[in-house]
Amino acid sequence: MDWQSKNCSWIQASVFKCRDRIRGTNAWGSALHNGKYKTNEVYNDLRGNREQVTWKYVLHRNFAKPRAKFILWLSLLDHLSTKDRLLKHGSTVDVGCIFCREMETLHHLFFECQITNQIWRLVLHHIGYDRNPRGWTQEKVWLNSETRKQGWLRELLKIAIAECVYGIWRHRNVVIFNQTPVDPHIWKAIVHDVLIRGSFQKSIRSHVNVETMSISL
């Protein structure tokens, strides 16, 4: 029987609406024709032709803390409530970066600021990368290219960027809301968190030493 949604509860109506959308896909017609239903084809039909994000490998199988991955995701979308964004929305804020007093934007915070640039540089150094960090756009391009590769070091790198972005953002908020001084050594806590998260993974565990804050390549 083909139920009418107007006579149903909102839950049933939602189910029937989804059913009708699936029936209208090319994948459903193909399934009826050849007898083979493919979930991924139906999903792609429902999803439509949307551009894939360039940084998907940075988050895929990233073993950082869930809250760190969430903040990284927001930063990749440029949705963090940095001071310049608050100002655009009418908030009265001190727009100065807590680290260097230049205007705080997402690109400045990650990693055009000399202090946060040095933090990211030190984190990279401690996990085996000798790199001079650049702006946020360039770092995203590099991270996406590097994390496409296989191996435990790339898994550790994905943890590192998530924990570094989260560590800087969290410390920034603590300084602003608790009116505490900036800690020049927050990179050590970030490296510690990176190695701790890495030690939980079988593929990384034998390469990290949390006590000495070092890795073996």
Side-chain angles (χ1 to χ4, degrees):
M1 183 179 295
D2 193 9
W3 294 91
Q4 298 297 316
S5 60
K6 64 181 180 180
N7 299 322
C8 303
S9 68
W10 69 268
I11 296 178
Q12 291 172 313
S14 297
V15 171
F16 294 145
K17 185 177 180 180
C18 291
R19 175 204 62 185
D20 292 339
R21 288 187 64 194
I22 292 173
R23 282 180 174 178
T25 62
N26 294 328
W28 181 254
S30 177
L32 293 176
H33 178 71
N34 58 34
K36 294 182 180 180
Y37 177 83
K38 296 183 178 180
T39 305
N40 65 323
E41 290 185 2
V42 174
Y43 170 77
N44 288 332
D45 277 354
L46 292 174
R47 183 176 181 272
N49 295 322
R50 296 185 182 181
E51 183 180 356
Q52 298 229 351
V53 296
T54 57
W55 39 260
K56 63 179 181 179
Y57 293 99
V58 179
L59 284 175
H60 178 63
R61 287 180 55 80
N62 188 320
F63 302 114
K65 293 189 293 289
R67 70 188 70 176
K69 289 188 289 185
F70 178 68
I71 294 300
L72 175 60
W73 176 65
L74 288 179
S75 65
L76 290 167
L77 291 173
D78 197 10
H79 285 175
L80 280 181
S81 296
T82 49
K83 293 181 177 180
D84 65 317
R85 285 175 59 85
L86 294 174
L87 191 65
K88 289 178 182 178
H89 287 87
S91 298
T92 302
V93 294
D94 172 8
V95 297
C97 168
I98 61 114
F99 296 101
C100 69
R101 301 310 302 165
E102 290 189 26
M103 183 171 183
E104 181 191 271
T105 67
L106 185 133
H107 288 256
H108 174 79
L109 198 57
F110 312 114
F111 297 99
E112 292 175 2
C113 170
Q114 291 185 354
I115 304 301
T116 60
N117 184 284
Q118 180 68 2
I119 290 170
W120 179 224
R121 186 200 306 266
L122 288 168
V123 171
L124 285 173
H125 175 75
H126 276 76
I127 66 168
Y129 284 92
D130 184 14
R131 175 175 173 79
N132 292 321
R134 301 169 70 184
W136 186 231
T137 300
Q138 294 93 333
E139 289 305 285
K140 285 193 295 183
V141 172
W142 175 72
L143 285 163
N144 186 59
S145 175
E146 187 67 15
T147 54
R148 285 172 179 262
K149 303 173 185 176
Q150 301 295 317
W152 67 270
L153 188 57
R154 278 77 189 193
E155 292 183 357
L156 196 62
L157 175 62
K158 288 192 280 190
I159 297 174
I161 184 58
E163 294 294 346
C164 188
V165 167
Y166 172 67
I168 290 171
W169 183 251
R170 182 175 180 274
H171 188 65
R172 172 253 193 209
N173 290 340
V174 168
V175 171
I176 291 173
F177 296 114
N178 294 350
Q179 297 184 346
T180 57
V182 172
D183 181 1
H185 302 297
I186 62 168
W187 64 270
K188 293 182 179 180
I190 294 171
V191 170
H192 183 266
D193 287 344
V194 171
L195 298 184
I196 285 288
R197 298 301 297 185
S199 69
F200 293 156
Q201 303 305 316
K202 184 177 180 180
S203 59
I204 304 175
R205 187 178 304 135
S206 62
H207 299 280
V208 302
N209 188 321
V210 178
E211 292 184 359
T212 61
M213 288 180 63
S214 62
I215 67 168
S216 57
L217 297 172

